[in-house]
Amino acid sequence: MNICILSTTTEAHLAGGSEMHCRLISEGAAADGHRVTLLTTRHPEGKAAEEKNGVRTLYLDGTDHSMSVRWAARWRLKSLEKLRELHAASRFDVLWAENLSGWHCSASRSGLALPLVTIMNGPGVRDGLRSEFNRVSTAGELAVFAVKILPQTLLFYLPWFYHTVKGADALIAVSPESANSIKAEFSFAAAKLHTVYNGIDVGLFRPDPPAGARTLERYGFSGAWPVLLMAGVLHKQKGFHLGLEAFRRIRDKISGARLLIAGDGPERASLESLSVSSGLAGTVAFCGHVPQPALPEYYNACDLFLNPTLRVEGHPLVALEALACGKPVVTAAIGGTLSTIVDGENGFFFKPGDVDAMTEKCLRLFADRNLLAAMSASARSRALSKFSVGKMVREYLRISAVVIDSFKGTL
């Protein structure tokens, strides 16, 4: 196939799950022998184009990944212009679009005879608002939600979301929970909605105890037990502040416990301050942004991965990566996290925001090393059977082939 992918952000712009997903599906399709061209917004350093691992990426000048109303309009104009130019020169077979990146390129809007497969990395609009509201804990945050986030969602995001769902020839949700969230709001989407679990590189993310030991040594935690890890962008809705409180309580029971926090973001300073005020200085390491190739070293340094998120997740990659490294996952049961682990087999669920339950689940594992070892083995097995990049990409290609055939029948 000759595949064009639209994404307003890549890992050159941001370090998030959608950006990683974009790289995995594009490189995965290229590795399978398909031609892949990725269109995205202007490179932060002004780079016009690059080719890497079989993927040709074009950065469109005159656009910006911030996706304000103004920049969203520019993206629609510039990306459709470039798509028409490329399609005329070397016809694409299918268009893949990440999230809301491609609704303006549907056949009915663009006039292009090109089937559109849209990948929804998150839930519907209501659950997106729920995620934003879950982070509210002060009067100021409530005001921001009411005055800024809610109006923007209703006036701009909701119409964009509707047009995205309506214009796609096929929709892919990354978990059953996300699929159900979208169908609950847009019932007409059911007939073209598919569920394909996120995949991760199970060759990169694998058990590697020596790499973990080197990471512990780097942070002065050699010989520490148990070690917990939290990872991701440090936003309030990710619940890292709740994870810190759970860790404080674990330390009350097990004085040798240590915590690694891999990631950066707007909450880092407040989390560092909270760590000190909670008496955790010297027991928590804020590791900052960790490049993707180095992340397995951090998973391998821990005994347990903790995901205290308050966000209605699509299908969190961090949990899948931890499983692939053979680490049990203790996670909030919200959105697509419900499709990461099997409760009691390779981790535990707890109610979002329930620090008591979060603490208890962790302590239960630390009190029974046989259970911890059994869950570790089960974690790796689950990742291999359910969440590989190869399995994900094969499903994308299968769905695309069906859509291409159906689309030809309508011409």
Side-chain angles (χ1 to χ4, degrees), residues 8 17 21-22 80-81 106-107 112 140 155 161 217 254 257 274 284 292-293 299-300 302-303 310 322 334 338 360 385:
T8 56
H21 177 271
C22 181
L80 183 54
E81 181 181 89
S106 64
L112 294 171
L155 292 174
F161 203 105
E217 183 178 6
I254 311 174
L274 178 62
V284 178
Q292 179 79 358
Y299 290 112
N300 277 286
C302 76
D303 300 292
L310 299 169
I334 184 168
L338 292 164
E360 186 273 327
S385 64

Side-chain angles (χ1 to χ4, degrees), residues 340-357:
T340 55
I341 65 167
V342 177
D343 192 42
E345 291 187 16
N346 29 60
F348 288 121
F349 288 123
F350 59 87
K351 183 179 177 181
D354 188 341
V355 177
D356 289 340

Side-chain angles (χ1 to χ4, degrees), residues 109 130 162 169 217 231 256 291 386:
R109 285 182 171 271
R130 179 182 162 201
Y162 169 80
D169 297 294
E217 183 178 6
K386 292 281 190 180

Side-chain angles (χ1 to χ4, degrees), residues 4 162 174 245 264 338 393 409:
C4 183
Y162 169 80
V174 296
E245 172 57 21
D264 214 340
L338 292 164
V393 172

